[in-house]
Amino acid sequence: MRLSKESLKLRINFFSDDRGRHYSTRKNNWQFTKFFCNFHNTIFPAANVSLGIVPQKLWLFAKVDGWNNLNAWSDVFALNNWITPEETFAASSVPVHAQAGFQGRFTDKFSYRLYAGYSMHKGLLQFAYNLDKGHFTAFNSNHDEFMAGAVLDVVTEPFQGGVSFKYTSFTQGKKSTFIDGIDAVGVPQLQGEIYGKYNWNNKLSIGASCHLQGKSKALCTNGNLVDADGFADLGATVEYAVTPAFTAWVRGENILGAETLYTPFCQRKMRGILAGIIIKL
């Protein structure tokens, strides 16, 4: 096979990231304090290579990267808003995140991507539920993650949509700040997204999306592991452009009335409706 400059692309870089040397905690006086943390990393490799097999149709790719997670209070609260305010959060890191696969196009309208990968997690942030007090406690542990996934996108003039699925498997935790030798908690093995949107003459658009999530493990502070059920969360949105500068929209959430478990032990079954306007100045 003959390679050309257009078919082979390579980027390699090594960089230092020392931000993870600290972690933050929210105190009653709202002061920001810093402490040393053993889960941070300072040197990360970064490489990205792609190889064109069939011009404009098929590419092989591979990449490796890494990063630190500061786990600031705002970041943790976005993951779990039932966390107790007295909690402290250690910074964590992903020293290695590697992924390889192939991507391409069937036609100008259909594109796809298949991949497999591996990640090393140092101090993966997780949560254990206190049954007596009704809130979560944060802890960290080291895990290896193996993943595989597929993405299919469709883009036409009035319609765009897609399907994506990801399978993830974690090794049991080591060097945990809570309990060693348990599965990663709050991480579903299977996740998927299905979405579609139809745009009529840039005047009316109707879209729908469905988040699919398989079973996951949940942990109690007494050490018991339980299963958290999977669910399908379906939503739909309608937008109408009254004028080029004024658009009204309405969205229905959890249309199926499913017991959504984005956070284990905290089921949400309510349907919801949101509405709003968009003004372009």
Side-chain angles (χ1 to χ4, degrees):
M1 179 173 56
R2 184 177 179 181
L3 301 181
S4 64
K5 292 182 180 179
E6 291 75 19
S7 64
L8 180 62
K9 297 179 181 179
L10 175 64
R11 177 180 66 87
I12 299 177
N13 184 34
F14 287 87
F15 63 95
S16 175
D17 185 350
D18 197 38
R19 296 174 302 163
R21 190 177 292 275
H22 304 97
Y23 74 96
S24 64
T25 176
R26 180 188 180 193
K27 298 295 186 180
N28 291 333
N29 57 5
W30 292 88
Q31 290 182 351
F32 185 81
T33 57
K34 297 180 179 180
F35 300 90
F36 182 78
C37 174
N38 292 325
F39 293 123
H40 84 289
N41 217 49
T42 55
I43 303 258
F44 298 94
N48 193 339
V49 59
S50 63
L51 175 63
I53 303 300
V54 180
Q56 306 300 319
K57 294 294 183 182
L58 178 64
W59 297 265
L60 296 178
F61 71 90
K63 63 180 181 180
V64 61
D65 203 351
W67 58 85
N68 280 325
N69 297 312
L70 291 181
N71 295 330
W73 176 263
S74 57
D75 299 329
V76 176
F77 192 75
L79 294 174
N80 186 336
N81 51 21
W82 285 274
I83 196 75
T84 171
E86 289 77 22
E87 281 296 310
T88 58
F89 311 114
S92 58
S93 67
V94 180
V96 177
H97 171 74
Q99 199 175 100
F102 59 92
Q103 59 189 19
R105 295 178 176 275
F106 296 120
T107 65
D108 292 338
K109 297 180 177 62
F110 294 89
S111 62
Y112 63 91
R113 184 169 177 264
L114 301 175
Y115 65 92
Y118 163 80
S119 291
M120 177 191 297
H121 293 269
K122 290 179 64 177
L124 177 67
L125 180 64
Q126 299 160 87
F127 305 98
Y129 188 66
N130 190 315
L131 294 172
D132 296 326
K133 297 182 179 181
H135 61 67
F136 288 87
T137 297
F139 70 97
N140 303 79
S141 55
N142 295 347
H143 298 264
D144 292 324
E145 176 189 4
F146 302 90
M147 70 196 77
V151 180
L152 174 64
D153 288 313
V154 181
V155 178
T156 64
E157 185 63 28
F159 176 82
Q160 61 181 9
V163 180
S164 65
F165 288 96
K166 179 182 178 182
Y167 175 82
T168 302
S169 178
F170 282 80
T171 60
Q172 292 185 332
K174 299 178 181 179
K175 296 184 178 180
S176 174
T177 58
F178 185 43
I179 302 175
D180 273 339
I182 63 172
D183 296 329
V185 299
V187 183
Q189 281 194 327
L190 183 63
Q191 295 186 77
E193 299 285 344
I194 304 173
Y195 79 95
K197 185 177 182 179
Y198 183 86
N199 189 324
W200 180 74
N201 201 27
N202 292 324
K203 190 75 172 178
L204 174 68
S205 67
I206 301 174
S209 62
C210 185
H211 174 77
L212 306 172
Q213 184 165 306
K215 289 185 176 181
S216 60
K217 294 293 184 181
L219 179 66
C220 301
T221 51
N222 60 13
N224 290 336
L225 274 174
V226 298
D227 289 327
D229 292 333
F231 61 88
D233 187 0
L234 176 64
T237 303
V238 177
E239 295 183 7
Y240 181 75
V242 181
T243 69
F246 184 86
T247 300
W249 61 269
V250 60
R251 175 172 176 79
E253 296 187 336
N254 194 20
I255 296 174
L256 300 177
E259 287 190 355
T260 57
L261 274 169
Y262 290 102
T263 303
F265 299 104
C266 299
Q267 296 93 338
R268 292 180 176 179
K269 194 175 181 178
M270 292 186 299
R271 298 174 175 88
I273 297 178
L274 299 174
I277 59 174
I278 302 172
I279 300 176
K280 298 180 181 180
L281 301 178

